[in-house]
Amino acid sequence: MSESSIFTRILEGEIPSEIIAETENVFAIRDIAPQAPVHLLVIPKDAQYRNVVELAGGDPALLTEMIGLAGTLAAEHGDGDFRLIFNTGAGAGQTVFHVHAHVLSGGLEEGRLGG
Ligand code: 5GP
């Protein structure tokens, strides 16, 4: 059996991190190394999907739920405008292979964050 992902360990309270939102299927935390004034991670509780392509193929409703929570949190924590980033593959910067969405908001003027 493979080791739990860092996000599962956070969800289970093994690693401290405030869970800022939670539904039956999805939860959200603040990124430990923020790249914008608001930098949240929206994560399915189910760790079986390694990236967004697997998730879209396996459970599109769960992907839709993640996007909905991202929008809600961007409005609550920022001005409602946001970037939604799914790094997919190590070559694209993915380091945690438990699918998650980066929600970036505030201070996203042109030229920053790869925009
Ligand atoms: P990836 O690079 O896989 O797209 O994103 C993983 C993200 O998880 C990174 O932005 C990284 O800063 C964040 N991260 C890694 N470990 C922790 C942690 O222990 N707590 C929190 N809150 N974020 C983490």
Side-chain angles (χ1 to χ4, degrees):
M1 204 174 128
S2 62
E3 199 178 301
S4 293
S5 80
I6 196 155
F7 298 145
T8 297
R9 294 173 68 201
I10 287 171
L11 181 64
E12 293 178 350
E14 288 173 33
I15 296 174
S17 184
E18 183 188 355
I19 295 182
I20 60 169
E22 183 172 7
T23 68
E24 186 185 345
N25 301 311
V26 178
F27 67 105
I29 59 175
R30 291 187 183 83
D31 198 291
I32 203 169
Q35 295 177 46
V38 177
H39 186 170
L40 310 176
L41 301 173
V42 175
I43 309 160
K45 291 181 179 177
D46 183 346
Q48 72 172 295
Y49 302 108
R50 290 167 51 85
N51 62 56
V52 69
V53 176
E54 288 186 10
L55 176 61
D59 193 344
L62 183 55
L63 175 58
T64 300
E65 190 175 337
M66 288 174 68
I67 294 171
L69 183 59
T72 299
L73 291 173
E76 285 176 5
H77 293 258
D79 64 5
D81 293 347
F82 65 101
R83 287 186 188 164
L84 192 64
I85 296 173
F86 291 90
N87 293 327
T88 306
Q94 186 176 5
T95 57
V96 180
F97 292 86
H98 170 170
V99 64
H100 53 282
H102 295 258
V103 181
L104 299 161
S105 187
L108 299 176
E109 66 271 19
E110 203 61 37
R112 288 190 59 193
L113 300 169

